Amino acid sequence: MQVVIVTGGGKGLGKAIALEYAAATATAAAAATATAAAAATATAAATATATPTATATPTARATPTASESVVVVLLGRELSALSAAAAELTQATCVVKAVDLTQVRTLPSVLAELETELAGVVLGNAVTRAVLVNNAGSLGDIAHTVQDYDVGALPAYFDMNVTAFAQLSSWFLKLGKTIGAQQRVLVNVSSLLAVQPFPYWGVYAAGKAARDQLYAVIAKEEEANSVLTLNYAPGPLDNDMQLAVRSQIGDVAQRTYYTAAFNDSKLVPMKDSAGKLVHLLLTPGSFTSGSHVDFYDAK
Ligand SMILES: NC(=O)c1ccc[n+]([C@@H]2O[C@H](COP(=O)([O-])OP(=O)(O)OC[C@H]3O[C@@H](n4cnc5c(N)ncnc54)[C@H](OP(=O)(O)O)[C@@H]3O)[C@@H](O)[C@H]2O)c1
């Protein structure tokens, strides 16, 4: 069994990642089943024609086992959106939990409840892999440069985009151990802004850089413990957040650039970016733990 937890899983990129992960795992399980069935047929044919002294071959598996099933946990503020996304995840067992990630004081108790719930769901199953996709994020103030910030809004921004992110990561590392996950994988949905500054992106860039560095540190701390981290920049996506960028950004040159990218269909479809991330996650050795990988550079 695999357990995949996606923050901001009710809509946008988070929902696309949940759908792609469940679909890719189901496809892999179906392929494994088909291969096993073919092997079983070949074994039966070989056994029928073999001499009585032929060595017995191991019994091939004809149906998927629990090790190939996926439990997807969707977190976000809007329960109706989470439930609607869960209804689309027909290939997975779903758990949804409404949580406002700006509420960092109450987040530990919400996560403790979730842990209890999850322990019941995975009970009796071997968890081959637990994945946290720390995807939830917000733009913050992109209408102003830093000198014109409403500084009163800064704590709420960093609570949600950095503090809650770190709280979730710490909780997940312990959760993975509690449920006996053989491998723990943490994904930061990052941005080009984490590694390249542009004007008007002050809090957003600072938050993403902090997240990247936290995951680079975890990669070092947990290197010997079957923990991988990945900072994935998904590219400029064709979605609600990009619509907000086009309408809110204070920099005319960037507004023109993003508007042209939208009009010329140059924005990245969420399914494509989510699919690339899932491919990275399901392909052993495809990324260096702790690294920053951009959609445009990922194979
Ligand atoms: N769109 C882009 O072009 C782009 C480019 C690079 C990186 N990214 C990153 O990709 C990630 C996903 O963004 P998106 O493009 O899918 O944008 P989006 O449609 O605005 O989604 C943001 C997600 O974050 C969740 N969220 C926001 N505030 C929250 C809060 N207080 N508590 C809990 N959840 C909250 C939302 O869920 P609820 O509304 O249900 O709470 C939603 O699922 C973000 O980290 C973003 O920075 C996006």
Side-chain angles (χ1 to χ4, degrees), residues 212-267:
D212 268 38
Q213 201 61 355
L214 185 76
Y215 275 25
V217 167
I218 293 172
K220 297 255 183 239
E221 290 175 345
E222 302 290 343
E223 201 171 0
N225 301 323
S226 298
V227 171
L228 297 175
T229 70
L230 171 64
N231 297 302
Y232 177 68
L237 302 169
D238 189 5
N239 70 1
D240 290 351
M241 188 177 269
Q242 271 295 327
L243 175 61
V245 171
R246 291 194 294 281
S247 50
Q248 292 173 20
I249 193 143
D251 183 21
V252 175
Q254 289 185 70
R255 185 180 292 221
T256 306
Y257 172 84
Y258 285 117
T259 303
F262 172 70
N263 290 336
D264 299 342
S265 303
K266 296 267 173 60
L267 297 176

